[in-house]
Coordinates of all heavy atoms in Angstrom, one line a residue:
M51 N 116.1 67.8 113.5 CA 115.6 68.4 112.2 C 114.1 68.3 112.2 O 113.6 67.2 112.4 CB 116.3 67.7 111.0 CG 115.8 68.3 109.7 SD 116.7 67.5 108.3 CE 115.4 66.6 107.6
S52 N 113.4 69.3 111.9 CA 112.0 69.3 111.8 C 111.6 69.4 110.3 O 112.2 70.1 109.5 CB 111.3 70.3 112.6 OG 111.7 71.6 112.1
L53 N 110.5 68.8 110.0 CA 109.9 68.9 108.6 C 108.5 69.5 108.7 O 107.8 69.2 109.6 CB 109.8 67.5 108.0 CG 111.1 66.8 107.6 CD1 110.8 65.4 107.1 CD2 111.8 67.5 106.5
C54 N 108.2 70.3 107.7 CA 106.9 70.8 107.7 C 106.1 70.0 106.6 O 106.7 69.2 105.9 CB 106.8 72.3 107.3 SG 107.3 72.7 105.6
L55 N 104.8 70.1 106.7 CA 103.9 69.3 105.8 C 104.3 69.5 104.3 O 104.3 68.5 103.6 CB 102.5 69.7 106.0 CG 101.4 68.9 105.2 CD1 101.5 67.4 105.4 CD2 100.0 69.4 105.5
S56 N 104.6 70.7 103.9 CA 104.9 70.9 102.5 C 106.2 70.2 102.1 O 106.3 69.7 101.0 CB 105.1 72.4 102.2 OG 106.2 73.0 102.9
D57 N 107.2 70.1 103.0 CA 108.4 69.3 102.7 C 108.0 67.8 102.5 O 108.5 67.2 101.6 CB 109.4 69.4 103.9 CG 110.0 70.8 104.0 OD1 110.1 71.5 103.0 OD2 110.3 71.1 105.2
V58 N 107.2 67.3 103.3 CA 106.8 65.9 103.2 C 106.0 65.7 101.9 O 106.3 64.7 101.1 CB 105.9 65.4 104.4 CG1 105.3 64.0 104.2 CG2 106.7 65.5 105.7
L59 N 105.0 66.6 101.6 CA 104.3 66.4 100.3 C 105.2 66.6 99.1 O 105.0 65.8 98.1 CB 103.2 67.5 100.3 CG 102.1 67.3 101.3 CD1 101.1 68.5 101.3 CD2 101.3 66.0 101.1
C60 N 106.1 67.5 99.1 CA 107.1 67.6 98.0 C 107.8 66.3 97.8 O 108.0 65.9 96.7 CB 108.0 68.8 98.3 SG 107.3 70.4 97.9
H61 N 108.3 65.7 98.9 CA 109.0 64.5 98.8 C 108.1 63.4 98.2 O 108.5 62.6 97.3 CB 109.6 64.1 100.2 CG 110.3 62.8 100.2 ND1 111.5 62.6 99.6 CD2 109.9 61.5 100.6 CE1 111.9 61.3 99.7 NE2 110.9 60.7 100.4
V62 N 106.9 63.2 98.8 CA 106.0 62.2 98.3 C 105.6 62.3 96.9 O 105.6 61.4 96.1 CB 104.7 62.1 99.2 CG1 103.6 61.3 98.7 CG2 105.1 61.7 100.6
W63 N 105.3 63.6 96.5 CA 104.9 63.8 95.1 C 106.0 64.0 94.1 O 105.8 64.3 93.0 CB 103.9 65.0 95.0 CG 102.6 64.7 95.7 CD1 102.0 63.5 95.8 CD2 101.7 65.6 96.2 NE1 100.8 63.6 96.4 CE2 100.6 64.9 96.7 CE3 101.8 67.0 96.4 CZ2 99.5 65.5 97.3 CZ3 100.7 67.6 97.1 CH2 99.6 66.9 97.5
G64 N 107.3 64.0 94.6 CA 108.4 64.1 93.8 C 108.6 65.6 93.3 O 109.3 65.8 92.3
M65 N 108.0 66.5 94.0 CA 108.2 67.9 93.7 C 109.4 68.5 94.4 O 109.7 68.1 95.5 CB 106.9 68.7 94.1 CG 105.7 68.3 93.5 SD 104.2 69.0 94.2 CE 104.5 70.7 94.1
E66 N 110.0 69.4 93.8 CA 111.1 70.1 94.4 C 110.7 71.5 94.7 O 109.9 72.2 94.0 CB 112.3 70.2 93.5 CG 113.0 68.9 93.3 CD 114.3 69.0 92.5 OE1 115.0 70.0 92.7 OE2 114.6 68.1 91.8
K67 N 111.2 72.0 95.9 CA 110.9 73.4 96.2 C 111.8 74.3 95.3 O 112.9 73.9 95.0 CB 111.2 73.7 97.7 CG 110.2 73.0 98.6 CD 110.2 73.5 99.9 CE 109.0 72.9 100.7 NZ 108.6 73.8 101.7
Q68 N 111.2 75.4 95.0 CA 111.9 76.4 94.2 C 112.0 77.7 94.9 O 111.2 78.0 95.8 CB 111.2 76.5 92.8 CG 111.1 75.2 92.1 CD 110.4 75.4 90.8 OE1 110.9 76.0 89.9 NE2 109.2 74.8 90.7
R69 N 112.9 78.6 94.5 CA 113.0 79.9 95.1 C 112.0 80.9 94.4 O 112.0 81.0 93.2 CB 114.4 80.4 94.9 CG 114.6 81.8 95.6 CD 116.1 82.2 95.5 NE 116.9 81.0 95.8 CZ 117.8 81.0 96.7 NH1 118.0 82.0 97.5 NH2 118.4 79.9 97.0
Y70 N 111.3 81.6 95.3 CA 110.4 82.6 94.8 C 110.8 83.9 95.5 O 111.1 83.9 96.7 CB 108.9 82.3 95.2 CG 108.3 81.1 94.4 CD1 108.5 79.8 94.9 CD2 107.6 81.3 93.3 CE1 108.0 78.7 94.2 CE2 107.0 80.2 92.6 CZ 107.2 79.0 93.1 OH 106.7 77.9 92.4
T71 N 110.7 85.0 94.7 CA 111.0 86.3 95.2 C 109.6 87.0 95.3 O 108.8 87.0 94.4 CB 111.9 87.1 94.3 OG1 113.1 86.4 94.2 CG2 112.1 88.5 94.9
V72 N 109.3 87.5 96.5 CA 108.1 88.2 96.8 C 108.4 89.7 96.9 O 109.2 90.1 97.8 CB 107.3 87.7 98.0 CG1 106.0 88.4 98.2 CG2 107.1 86.2 97.9
V73 N 107.7 90.5 96.1 CA 107.9 92.0 96.2 C 106.5 92.6 96.6 O 105.5 92.3 95.9 CB 108.3 92.6 94.8 CG1 108.5 94.1 94.9 CG2 109.6 91.9 94.3
C74 N 106.5 93.3 97.7 CA 105.3 93.8 98.2 C 105.3 95.3 98.4 O 106.3 95.8 99.0 CB 104.9 93.1 99.5 SG 103.4 93.7 100.3
D75 N 104.3 96.0 97.9 CA 104.2 97.4 98.1 C 103.0 97.7 99.0 O 101.9 97.2 98.8 CB 104.0 98.2 96.8 CG 105.1 98.1 95.8 OD1 106.3 98.4 96.3 OD2 105.0 97.9 94.6
V76 N 103.3 98.4 100.1 CA 102.3 98.7 101.1 C 102.7 100.0 101.8 O 103.8 100.1 102.2 CB 102.0 97.6 102.0 CG1 103.2 97.2 102.8 CG2 100.8 97.9 102.9
R77 N 101.7 100.9 102.0 CA 101.9 102.1 102.7 C 103.2 102.9 102.3 O 103.9 103.4 103.2 CB 101.9 101.8 104.2 CG 100.6 101.2 104.8 CD 100.7 101.0 106.2 NE 100.8 102.3 106.9 CZ 101.0 102.3 108.2 NH1 101.1 101.2 108.9 NH2 101.1 103.5 108.8
G78 N 103.4 103.0 101.0 CA 104.5 103.7 100.5 C 105.9 103.1 100.6 O 106.9 103.7 100.2
G79 N 106.0 101.8 101.1 CA 107.2 101.1 101.1 C 107.2 99.9 100.2 O 106.1 99.3 99.9
T80 N 108.4 99.5 99.8 CA 108.5 98.2 99.0 C 109.4 97.3 99.8 O 110.5 97.6 100.2 CB 109.2 98.5 97.6 OG1 108.4 99.5 96.9 CG2 109.3 97.3 96.8
Y81 N 108.9 96.1 100.0 CA 109.5 95.0 100.8 C 109.7 93.8 99.9 O 108.8 93.3 99.2 CB 108.6 94.7 102.0 CG 108.3 96.0 102.8 CD1 107.2 96.7 102.5 CD2 109.2 96.4 103.8 CE1 106.9 97.9 103.2 CE2 108.9 97.6 104.5 CZ 107.8 98.3 104.1 OH 107.6 99.5 104.8
V82 N 111.0 93.3 99.9 CA 111.4 92.2 99.1 C 111.9 91.1 100.0 O 112.8 91.4 100.8 CB 112.4 92.6 98.0 CG1 112.8 91.5 97.1 CG2 111.9 93.8 97.2
S83 N 111.5 89.9 99.7 CA 112.1 88.7 100.4 C 112.0 87.5 99.5 O 111.3 87.5 98.5 CB 111.5 88.5 101.7 OG 110.1 88.3 101.6
Q84 N 112.7 86.4 99.9 CA 112.7 85.2 99.1 C 112.3 84.0 100.0 O 112.6 84.0 101.2 CB 114.0 84.9 98.5 CG 114.4 85.9 97.4 CD 115.6 85.6 96.7 OE1 116.7 85.3 97.3 NE2 115.6 85.7 95.4
V85 N 111.6 83.1 99.4 CA 111.2 81.8 100.1 C 111.4 80.7 99.2 O 111.5 80.8 98.0 CB 109.8 81.9 100.6 CG1 109.5 83.0 101.6 CG2 108.8 82.1 99.4
Q86 N 111.6 79.5 99.8 CA 111.6 78.2 99.1 C 110.3 77.6 99.2 O 109.8 77.3 100.3 CB 112.7 77.3 99.7 CG 114.1 77.8 99.6 CD 114.6 77.6 98.2 OE1 115.1 78.6 97.6 NE2 114.6 76.4 97.6
A87 N 109.6 77.4 98.1 CA 108.2 76.8 98.2 C 108.0 75.9 97.0 O 108.7 75.9 96.0 CB 107.2 78.0 98.1
A88 N 106.9 75.1 97.1 CA 106.5 74.2 96.1 C 105.8 74.9 94.9 O 105.8 74.5 93.8 CB 105.6 73.1 96.6
D89 N 105.1 76.0 95.3 CA 104.3 76.7 94.3 C 104.1 78.1 94.7 O 104.5 78.5 95.9 CB 103.0 76.0 93.9 CG 102.1 75.8 95.1 OD1 102.1 76.7 96.0 OD2 101.3 74.9 95.1
E90 N 103.4 78.9 93.9 CA 103.2 80.3 94.3 C 102.3 80.6 95.5 O 102.5 81.5 96.2 CB 102.7 81.1 93.0 CG 101.3 80.8 92.6 CD 101.1 79.5 91.7 OE1 102.1 78.8 91.5 OE2 100.0 79.3 91.3
V91 N 101.3 79.7 95.7 CA 100.4 79.8 96.8 C 101.2 79.5 98.1 O 101.1 80.3 99.1 CB 99.2 78.9 96.7 CG1 98.4 78.9 98.0 CG2 98.4 79.3 95.5
E92 N 102.0 78.5 98.1 CA 102.8 78.2 99.3 C 103.9 79.4 99.5 O 104.2 79.7 100.6 CB 103.6 76.9 99.2 CG 104.4 76.6 100.4 CD 105.2 75.4 100.3 OE1 105.7 75.0 99.2 OE2 105.5 74.8 101.4
A93 N 104.3 79.9 98.4 CA 105.3 81.1 98.6 C 104.6 82.2 99.3 O 105.3 82.8 100.2 CB 105.8 81.5 97.2
V94 N 103.4 82.5 99.0 CA 102.7 83.6 99.7 C 102.5 83.2 101.2 O 102.7 84.1 102.1 CB 101.3 84.0 99.1 CG1 100.6 85.0 99.9 CG2 101.6 84.5 97.6
R95 N 102.1 82.0 101.5 CA 102.0 81.6 102.9 C 103.3 81.7 103.7 O 103.3 82.2 104.8 CB 101.5 80.1 102.9 CG 100.0 80.0 102.5 CD 99.5 78.6 102.7 NE 98.1 78.5 102.2 CZ 97.8 77.7 101.3 NH1 98.6 76.8 100.7 NH2 96.5 77.6 100.9
L96 N 104.4 81.2 103.1 CA 105.7 81.3 103.7 C 106.1 82.8 103.9 O 106.7 83.1 104.9 CB 106.7 80.5 103.0 CG 106.4 79.0 103.0 CD1 107.4 78.3 102.1 CD2 106.5 78.4 104.4
W97 N 105.8 83.6 102.9 CA 106.2 85.0 103.0 C 105.4 85.6 104.1 O 106.0 86.4 104.9 CB 105.9 85.7 101.7 CG 106.0 87.2 101.7 CD1 107.1 87.9 101.7 CD2 104.9 88.1 101.8 NE1 106.8 89.3 101.7 CE2 105.4 89.4 101.8 CE3 103.5 87.9 101.9 CZ2 104.6 90.5 101.9 CZ3 102.7 89.0 102.0 CH2 103.2 90.3 102.0
A98 N 104.1 85.3 104.3 CA 103.3 85.8 105.4 C 103.9 85.4 106.7 O 103.9 86.2 107.7 CB 101.9 85.4 105.2
A99 N 104.3 84.2 106.8 CA 105.0 83.7 108.0 C 106.2 84.5 108.3 O 106.5 84.8 109.5 CB 105.3 82.2 107.9
Q100 N 107.0 84.8 107.3 CA 108.2 85.7 107.5 C 107.8 87.0 108.0 O 108.4 87.6 108.9 CB 108.9 85.9 106.2 CG 109.9 84.8 105.9 CD 110.7 85.1 104.6 OE1 110.5 86.1 103.9 NE2 111.7 84.3 104.3
L101 N 106.7 87.6 107.5 CA 106.2 88.9 108.0 C 105.9 88.8 109.5 O 106.2 89.8 110.2 CB 105.0 89.3 107.2 CG 105.1 90.0 105.9 CD1 103.7 90.4 105.4 CD2 106.0 91.2 105.9
L102 N 105.2 87.8 109.9 CA 104.9 87.6 111.3 C 106.1 87.5 112.2 O 106.1 88.0 113.3 CB 104.0 86.4 111.5 CG 102.5 86.6 110.9 CD1 101.8 85.2 110.9 CD2 101.8 87.6 111.7
A103 N 107.1 86.8 111.7 CA 108.3 86.6 112.5 C 109.3 87.8 112.5 O 109.8 88.1 113.5 CB 109.0 85.3 112.0
E104 N 109.5 88.4 111.3 CA 110.5 89.4 111.2 C 110.0 90.9 111.3 O 110.7 91.8 111.6 CB 111.2 89.2 109.9 CG 111.9 87.9 109.8 CD 112.5 87.6 108.4 OE1 112.5 88.5 107.5 OE2 112.9 86.4 108.2
K105 N 108.7 91.0 111.0 CA 108.0 92.3 111.1 C 108.7 93.5 110.4 O 109.0 94.5 111.0 CB 107.8 92.7 112.6 CG 107.1 91.6 113.4 CD 106.2 92.2 114.4 CE 105.5 91.1 115.2 NZ 104.7 90.2 114.6
P106 N 108.9 93.3 109.1 CA 109.7 94.3 108.3 C 108.8 95.6 108.0 O 109.4 96.6 107.7 CB 110.1 93.6 107.0 CG 109.0 92.6 106.8 CD 108.6 92.2 108.2
V107 N 107.5 95.5 108.0 CA 106.6 96.6 107.6 C 106.3 97.3 108.9 O 105.5 96.7 109.8 CB 105.4 96.1 106.9 CG1 104.5 97.3 106.4 CG2 105.7 95.2 105.7
P108 N 106.8 98.5 109.1 CA 106.5 99.2 110.4 C 105.1 99.3 110.8 O 104.2 99.6 110.0 CB 107.1 100.6 110.1 CG 108.1 100.4 109.1 CD 107.6 99.3 108.2
E109 N 104.8 98.8 112.0 CA 103.5 98.9 112.6 C 102.4 98.0 112.1 O 101.4 97.8 112.8 CB 102.9 100.4 112.6 CG 103.8 101.4 113.2 CD 103.4 102.8 113.0 OE1 102.2 103.0 112.5 OE2 104.2 103.7 113.2
V110 N 102.5 97.5 110.9 CA 101.4 96.7 110.3 C 101.8 95.3 109.7 O 101.0 94.7 109.0 CB 100.6 97.5 109.2 CG1 99.9 98.7 109.9 CG2 101.5 97.9 108.1
S111 N 103.0 94.8 110.0 CA 103.4 93.5 109.5 C 102.4 92.4 109.7 O 102.0 91.7 108.9 CB 104.8 93.1 110.0 OG 105.8 93.9 109.4
S112 N 102.0 92.3 111.0 CA 101.0 91.3 111.4 C 99.7 91.4 110.7 O 99.1 90.4 110.2 CB 100.8 91.3 112.9 OG 102.0 91.0 113.6
E113 N 99.2 92.6 110.6 CA 97.9 92.9 109.9 C 98.0 92.6 108.4 O 97.1 92.0 107.8 CB 97.5 94.3 110.1 CG 96.1 94.6 109.7 CD 95.6 96.0 110.0 OE1 96.3 96.8 110.7 OE2 94.4 96.3 109.7
V114 N 99.2 93.0 107.8 CA 99.4 92.6 106.4 C 99.4 91.1 106.2 O 98.7 90.6 105.3 CB 100.7 93.2 105.8 CG1 101.0 92.7 104.5 CG2 100.6 94.8 105.8
A115 N 100.1 90.4 107.0 CA 100.2 88.9 106.9 C 98.8 88.3 107.0 O 98.4 87.5 106.2 CB 101.1 88.4 107.9
R116 N 98.1 88.7 108.1 CA 96.7 88.1 108.3 C 95.8 88.4 107.2 O 95.1 87.5 106.7 CB 96.1 88.7 109.6 CG 96.7 88.1 110.9 CD 95.8 88.4 112.1 NE 95.7 89.9 112.2 CZ 96.5 90.7 112.9 NH1 97.5 90.2 113.5 NH2 96.2 92.0 113.0
N117 N 95.8 89.6 106.7 CA 94.8 90.0 105.6 C 95.2 89.3 104.3 O 94.3 89.0 103.5 CB 94.7 91.5 105.5 CG 94.0 92.1 106.6 OD1 93.6 91.4 107.6 ND2 93.9 93.4 106.6
V118 N 96.5 89.2 104.0 CA 96.9 88.5 102.8 C 96.5 87.1 102.9 O 96.0 86.5 101.9 CB 98.4 88.6 102.6 CG1 98.9 87.6 101.5 CG2 98.8 90.1 102.1
L119 N 96.7 86.4 104.0 CA 96.3 85.0 104.1 C 94.8 84.8 104.0 O 94.3 83.9 103.4 CB 96.8 84.4 105.5 CG 98.3 84.2 105.5 CD1 98.7 83.9 107.0 CD2 98.8 83.2 104.5
K120 N 94.0 85.8 104.6 CA 92.5 85.7 104.4 C 92.1 85.8 103.0 O 91.2 85.1 102.5 CB 91.9 86.8 105.3 CG 91.8 86.6 106.7 CD 91.1 87.8 107.4 CE 91.3 87.8 108.9 NZ 90.8 89.0 109.5
T121 N 92.7 86.8 102.3 CA 92.4 87.0 100.9 C 92.8 85.8 100.0 O 92.1 85.5 99.1 CB 93.1 88.3 100.4 OG1 92.7 89.4 101.2 CG2 92.7 88.6 99.0
L122 N 93.9 85.2 100.4 CA 94.5 84.1 99.6 C 93.5 82.9 99.5 O 93.4 82.3 98.5 CB 95.8 83.6 100.2 CG 96.6 82.5 99.5 CD1 97.1 83.1 98.2 CD2 97.7 82.1 100.4
V123 N 92.6 82.8 100.5 CA 91.6 81.7 100.5 C 90.7 81.9 99.3 O 90.3 80.9 98.7 CB 90.9 81.6 101.9 CG1 89.7 80.7 101.8 CG2 91.9 81.3 103.0
R124 N 90.2 83.1 99.1 CA 89.2 83.3 98.0 C 89.8 83.8 96.7 O 89.2 83.7 95.7 CB 88.1 84.2 98.5 CG 88.5 85.6 98.8 CD 87.3 86.5 99.2 NE 87.7 87.9 99.3 CZ 88.3 88.4 100.4 NH1 88.5 87.6 101.5 NH2 88.7 89.7 100.4
D125 N 91.0 84.4 96.8 CA 91.6 85.0 95.6 C 93.1 84.6 95.6 O 93.9 85.3 96.1 CB 91.5 86.6 95.7 CG 90.1 87.1 95.6 OD1 89.3 86.5 94.8 OD2 89.8 88.0 96.3
P126 N 93.4 83.4 95.0 CA 94.8 83.0 94.9 C 95.5 83.9 93.9 O 94.9 84.7 93.2 CB 94.7 81.6 94.3 CG 93.3 81.5 93.6 CD 92.4 82.5 94.3
P127 N 96.9 83.9 94.0 CA 97.7 84.7 93.1 C 97.3 84.4 91.6 O 96.9 83.3 91.2 CB 99.1 84.2 93.3 CG 99.1 83.6 94.7 CD 97.7 83.0 94.8
V128 N 97.3 85.5 90.8 CA 96.9 85.5 89.4 C 98.2 85.6 88.6 O 99.0 86.4 88.8 CB 96.0 86.7 89.1 CG1 95.7 86.8 87.6 CG2 94.7 86.6 90.0
A129 N 98.3 84.6 87.6 CA 99.4 84.7 86.7 C 99.3 85.9 85.8 O 98.2 86.3 85.3 CB 99.4 83.4 85.8
L130 N 100.4 86.6 85.6 CA 100.4 87.8 84.8 C 100.5 87.4 83.3 O 101.4 86.6 82.9 CB 101.6 88.7 85.1 CG 101.5 89.2 86.6 CD1 102.7 90.2 86.8 CD2 100.2 89.9 86.9
T131 N 99.6 87.9 82.5 CA 99.5 87.6 81.1 C 100.7 87.9 80.4 O 101.3 89.0 80.5 CB 98.3 88.4 80.5 OG1 97.1 88.0 81.2 CG2 98.1 88.0 79.0
G132 N 101.2 87.0 79.6 CA 102.4 87.2 78.7 C 103.7 86.9 79.4 O 104.7 87.1 78.8
L133 N 103.6 86.6 80.7 CA 104.9 86.3 81.5 C 104.8 84.9 82.0 O 103.8 84.3 82.2 CB 105.0 87.3 82.6 CG 105.1 88.7 82.3 CD1 105.1 89.6 83.5 CD2 106.3 89.0 81.4
V134 N 106.0 84.3 82.2 CA 106.1 83.0 82.7 C 106.7 83.1 84.1 O 107.7 83.7 84.3 CB 107.0 82.1 81.8 CG1 107.3 80.7 82.5 CG2 106.4 82.0 80.5
G135 N 106.1 82.4 85.1 CA 106.6 82.4 86.5 C 106.4 83.7 87.2 O 107.2 84.0 88.1
V136 N 105.4 84.5 86.9 CA 105.1 85.7 87.6 C 103.6 85.8 88.0 O 102.8 85.6 87.1 CB 105.5 86.9 86.8 CG1 105.3 88.2 87.6 CG2 107.0 86.8 86.3
W137 N 103.4 86.1 89.2 CA 102.0 86.2 89.7 C 101.8 87.5 90.5 O 102.8 88.1 90.9 CB 101.7 85.0 90.6 CG 101.8 83.7 90.0 CD1 100.8 82.9 89.4 CD2 103.0 82.9 89.9 NE1 101.3 81.7 89.0 CE2 102.6 81.7 89.2 CE3 104.3 83.1 90.2 CZ2 103.6 80.7 88.9 CZ3 105.2 82.1 89.9 CH2 104.8 80.9 89.3
C138 N 100.5 87.8 90.7 CA 100.2 89.0 91.5 C 99.2 88.7 92.5 O 98.3 87.8 92.3 CB 99.6 90.1 90.5 SG 99.1 91.6 91.3
F139 N 99.2 89.3 93.7 CA 98.2 89.2 94.7 C 97.9 90.5 95.3 O 98.8 91.4 95.3 CB 98.5 88.1 95.7 CG 99.7 88.5 96.6 CD1 99.5 89.2 97.8 CD2 101.0 88.1 96.2 CE1 100.6 89.5 98.6 CE2 102.1 88.4 97.0 CZ 101.9 89.1 98.2
T140 N 96.7 90.7 95.9 CA 96.4 92.0 96.5 C 95.6 91.6 97.8 O 95.1 90.6 98.0 CB 95.5 92.9 95.7 OG1 94.3 92.1 95.4 CG2 96.2 93.3 94.4
A141 N 95.6 92.6 98.7 CA 94.8 92.6 99.9 C 94.6 94.0 100.4 O 95.2 95.0 99.8 CB 95.5 91.8 101.0
L142 N 93.9 94.2 101.4 CA 93.7 95.6 102.0 C 94.1 95.5 103.5 O 93.8 94.5 104.2 CB 92.2 96.0 101.9 CG 91.7 96.4 100.5 CD1 90.2 96.7 100.6 CD2 92.5 97.6 100.0
V143 N 94.7 96.6 103.9 CA 95.0 96.8 105.3 C 94.4 98.2 105.6 O 95.0 99.2 105.2 CB 96.5 96.8 105.7 CG1 96.7 97.2 107.1 CG2 97.1 95.4 105.4
G144 N 93.2 98.2 106.2 CA 92.5 99.4 106.4 C 92.1 99.9 105.0 O 91.6 99.2 104.2
D145 N 92.5 101.2 104.7 CA 92.3 101.8 103.4 C 93.5 101.6 102.5 O 93.6 102.1 101.4 CB 92.0 103.3 103.5 CG 90.7 103.5 104.2 OD1 89.8 102.7 104.1 OD2 90.5 104.6 104.8
N146 N 94.5 100.9 102.9 CA 95.8 100.7 102.2 C 95.8 99.5 101.4 O 95.5 98.4 101.9 CB 97.0 100.7 103.1 CG 97.1 102.0 103.9 OD1 97.5 103.0 103.3 ND2 96.9 102.0 105.2
L147 N 96.1 99.6 100.1 CA 96.3 98.5 99.2 C 97.6 97.8 99.4 O 98.6 98.4 99.6 CB 96.2 98.9 97.7 CG 96.5 97.8 96.7 CD1 95.3 96.8 96.7 CD2 96.6 98.5 95.3
V148 N 97.6 96.5 99.5 CA 98.8 95.6 99.6 C 98.9 95.0 98.2 O 98.0 94.3 97.8 CB 98.6 94.5 100.6 CG1 99.9 93.6 100.6 CG2 98.4 95.1 102.0
L149 N 99.9 95.4 97.5 CA 100.1 94.8 96.1 C 101.4 94.0 96.1 O 102.5 94.5 96.5 CB 100.3 96.0 95.1 CG 100.6 95.6 93.7 CD1 99.5 94.7 93.1 CD2 100.9 96.8 92.8
G150 N 101.2 92.7 95.9 CA 102.3 91.8 95.9 C 102.6 91.1 94.5 O 101.6 90.9 93.8
N151 N 103.8 90.9 94.2 CA 104.2 90.2 93.0 C 105.1 89.0 93.5 O 106.0 89.2 94.3 CB 105.0 91.1 92.0 CG 104.0 92.1 91.4 OD1 103.2 91.7 90.6 ND2 104.1 93.3 91.9
I152 N 104.9 87.9 92.9 CA 105.7 86.7 93.1 C 106.4 86.3 91.9 O 105.8 86.2 90.8 CB 104.8 85.5 93.5 CG1 103.8 86.0 94.6 CG2 105.6 84.3 94.0 CD1 102.5 85.2 94.6
V153 N 107.7 86.1 92.0 CA 108.5 85.8 90.8 C 109.3 84.5 91.1 O 110.0 84.4 92.0 CB 109.5 86.9 90.5 CG1 110.3 86.6 89.2 CG2 108.8 88.3 90.3
L154 N 109.1 83.5 90.2 CA 109.9 82.3 90.3 C 111.3 82.6 89.9 O 111.6 83.1 88.8 CB 109.3 81.2 89.3 CG 110.0 79.9 89.3 CD1 110.0 79.2 90.6 CD2 109.4 79.0 88.2
S155 N 112.2 82.5 90.9 CA 113.5 83.0 90.7 C 114.5 82.0 90.3 O 115.5 82.4 89.5 CB 114.0 83.7 92.0 OG 113.1 84.7 92.4
A156 N 114.5 80.8 90.7 CA 115.4 79.8 90.3 C 115.2 78.5 91.1 O 114.8 78.6 92.2 CB 116.9 80.2 90.4

């Protein structure tokens, strides 16, 4: 069994991972997946890792993942006003907007 750093930190800090649903619109398609993460930032990182591994976005999965991770450094997900457990993130792939929503699912 292997542990990642976030698993160790969650254990040390007494945090539990929670399920997040990530909904991403890019190049006319909508892509939905779920990850177990400690917070919304980790959820985006894990989602990007899934994109790299599974390549669900035809032709640009790797570029979407890389650009989202680059953008995440300077622009973390933004909580949506009036909602609890919902965030938004954006990035660009060429001239295409990547619009992502993160929902704390359970």
Side-chain angles (χ1 to χ4, degrees):
M51 180 175 109
S52 66
L53 290 175
C54 69
L55 180 59
S56 66
D57 292 328
V58 173
L59 293 175
C60 283
H61 176 74
V62 169
W63 291 333
M65 297 168 59
E66 288 190 36
K67 290 197 172 208
Q68 299 179 71
R69 181 176 318 238
Y70 291 85
T71 301
V72 180
V73 181
C74 178
D75 292 315
V76 60
R77 295 183 65 188
T80 301
Y81 304 89
V82 182
S83 59
Q84 292 185 314
V85 295
Q86 292 286 123
D89 60 30
E90 68 279 3
V91 173
E92 184 186 26
V94 174
R95 287 188 183 118
L96 293 173
W97 170 79
Q100 276 186 353
L101 278 183
L102 289 170
E104 298 171 8
K105 305 211 181 305
V107 184
E109 302 173 12
V110 294
S111 288
S112 296
E113 192 174 357
V114 169
R116 281 192 307 270
N117 290 1
V118 166
L119 290 172
K120 284 180 194 173
T121 303
L122 186 63
V123 172
R124 68 178 183 276
D125 295 319
V128 175
L130 298 183
T131 303
L133 300 175
V134 175
V136 183
W137 300 263
C138 178
F139 66 91
T140 60
L142 289 173
V143 173
D145 291 335
N146 296 293
L147 175 66
V148 177
L149 175 61
N151 290 287
I152 310 152
V153 181
L154 179 60
S155 302

